[in-house]
Amino acid sequence: MIENILEPGSTLGVLGGGQLGAMFAGAAHRMGYRVAVWDADPEAPAHRIATHSFTAPFTDLGVRDQFAGIADAVTLEWENVPAELCEWLEGHRPMRPSGAVLRILQDRLEQKQYLSSRQLPVAAFALVESVPQLISAIDRLGLPAVCKTAKSGYDGKGQWLLRDTTDIREVEQLLENAKPGHRWILEQFIEYVRELSVLVVRNESGVYCVYPVVENRHELGILRESRVPASISLDVAEKSANLSIQAVAALQGVGVFCVELFQAQDGSLLINEIAPRPHNSGHYTLDVCTVSQFEQQVRVTCGLPLGETRLLCPAVMVNLIGEEVRSVTSRDGAYALHSTSGAAVHLYGKRIRPGRKMGHVTFTAPEALAAEELAHRFIKRIQRPA
Ligand code: ATP
Ligand code: MG
């Protein structure tokens, strides 16, 4: 409804100030909005481009009131924001996604239970809170299996792959030493053929749009590269998109969602997890789509019409992880990268830490194969031991 649109000049609040928040703020500024960023870390990248910055913890009630006073609508870039804060905020301002959706998605067990209760396919799973529960879950699901903390994991952190009894021992120790109330999920390990992801944007009226299916490759639990379009049949692409749309609709999600999928060996698709925000695997949209995932986040937060999701050319996105970033910030590295036509670099301006996502490069070309070749040559270069 046109009367509910927040017009340019309004202030959009974002909970979390990492690179996703910074990219959201960039899109918002371009479209004429002001941005209030709330992240306790004063060095969080989005603070640098915020109109208003808040660096108190999310539990600070005074800042909560100020933030709600300044922001005309609120979104988030991180799913580990306290759900109760979102629930309170949505009593005062439009909050997209809602606290209720966040509550489901920020807990791996709640999420899998929700999806499977709606007949949406996920890997077999079990709740684990103690050693006997772990043993009976392994009896039921078999090995290999993956044990994950129910909350707060990212980039493969807080996950243990169980292949044999030695691995089981390690997780048993973890359970024995854990704080009371800590929950884990044990999941059947899926021998997938490929990992896919689909961005779905859905507004309050249930109108949605969907981006092309992306194919992802992880290394040591961290996303290494994403290519689009995925090298899958039209049938699998259609099924992936439909399943993702169905999942976001089942959640009654309003906002930008990324549905991560496994394509199993028998061709079937399983939902790995759903992020209630733009996603690393959707960064290509900044360079090869007319409307990026961040612009969609602005649009859906403001009640504007959703944008088109057309892919202008094939792309492969490569993450710069930890020290790898030096290979593009050194003089030689910067020169080499900027001499490559079709390479778009994005640096997040964070302190280097091992395993941390420091930036990404999107390689584009008229043909998928050419983009892939550029990306793979680049990966070889950045992974060369110093
Ligand atoms: P991210 O932050 O990259 O989304 P995450 O820490 O939230 O990751 P997951 O997406 O659950 O966690 O897992 C990270 C990666 O580990 C997956 O993309 C996949 O490669 C692998 N993985 C996770 N669960 C399974 C499983 N059940 N079977 C096989 N591989 C798995
Ligand atoms: Mg994931």
Side-chain angles (χ1 to χ4, degrees), residues 19-296:
Q19 62 267 19
L20 298 174
M23 292 184 246
F24 166 77
H29 285 313
R30 181 174 62 75
M31 297 164 75
Y33 292 90
R34 298 165 205 267
V35 181
V37 173
W38 188 355
D39 190 311
D41 177 2
E43 291 189 3
H47 284 309
R48 286 196 292 273
I49 50 169
T51 321
H52 308 274
S53 271
F54 298 92
T55 51
F58 285 131
T59 44
D60 188 317
L61 300 185
V63 166
R64 181 196 71 179
D65 294 350
Q66 275 179 41
F67 185 79
I70 282 176
D72 297 303
V74 181
T75 185
L76 53 87
E77 61 105 53
W78 191 51
E79 54 276 22
N80 296 314
V81 171
E84 51 281 10
L85 170 61
C86 298
E87 283 159 355
W88 184 88
L89 284 168
E90 74 196 345
H92 298 76
R93 294 285 181 238
M95 171 80 223
R96 285 147 186 159
S98 70
V101 168
L102 189 67
R103 222 173 248 291
I104 297 167
L105 296 186
Q106 70 185 188
D107 182 305
R108 292 179 192 281
L109 272 158
E110 296 276 338
Q111 181 176 156
K112 288 230 154 59
Q113 272 157 1
Y114 191 92
L115 295 173
S116 58
S117 72
R118 275 139 188 95
Q119 282 72 49
L120 293 158
V122 293
F125 67 96
L127 160 72
V128 171
E129 284 174 306
S130 63
V131 172
Q133 261 180 342
L134 174 70
I135 302 305
S136 73
I138 293 172
D139 278 350
R140 189 159 72 77
L141 304 181
L143 291 181
V146 192
C147 189
K148 305 178 181 177
T149 58
K151 287 193 164 187
S152 307
Y154 69 99
D155 287 348
K157 292 182 179 70
Q159 294 195 14
W160 293 265
L161 174 62
L162 305 181
R163 289 201 178 275
D164 51 36
T165 39
T166 329
D167 299 333
I168 298 175
R169 191 63 220 127
E170 192 191 330
V171 174
E172 279 178 353
Q173 273 171 4
L174 201 88
L175 290 171
E176 279 158 6
N177 299 324
K179 285 194 196 128
H182 199 110
R183 294 147 73 245
W184 281 265
I185 179 171
L186 190 79
E187 287 177 20
Q188 181 189 17
F189 183 83
I190 305 300
E191 302 281 358
Y192 54 79
V193 183
R194 46 176 81 77
E195 286 192 75
L196 305 169
S197 58
V198 180
L199 282 170
V200 178
V201 191
R202 188 173 176 277
N203 75 11
E204 263 183 315
S205 322
V207 174
Y208 65 83
C209 62
V210 59
Y211 280 90
V213 183
V214 176
E215 184 171 345
N216 299 312
R217 185 171 67 81
H218 289 76
E219 266 172 20
L220 305 172
I222 307 181
L223 185 62
R224 170 79 280 170
E225 62 174 302
S226 294
R227 51 179 284 174
V228 60
S231 54
I232 50 175
S233 65
L234 274 178
D235 178 53
V236 174
E238 208 175 286
K239 284 190 177 130
S240 303
N242 287 340
L243 178 56
S244 304
I245 293 162
Q246 227 185 315
V248 174
L251 285 160
Q252 294 176 17
V254 177
V256 177
F257 293 83
C258 182
V259 183
E260 298 179 16
L261 302 166
F262 294 133
Q263 186 190 350
Q265 273 162 351
D266 63 2
S268 63
L269 293 163
L270 297 169
I271 299 176
N272 171 31
E273 60 172 354
I274 304 178
R277 52 162 172 81
H279 195 262
N280 190 176
S281 67
H283 287 352
Y284 76 91
T285 59
L286 286 165
D287 298 306
V288 291
C289 291
T290 44
V291 178
S292 75
Q293 59 173 347
F294 302 102
E295 176 169 341
Q296 299 282 16

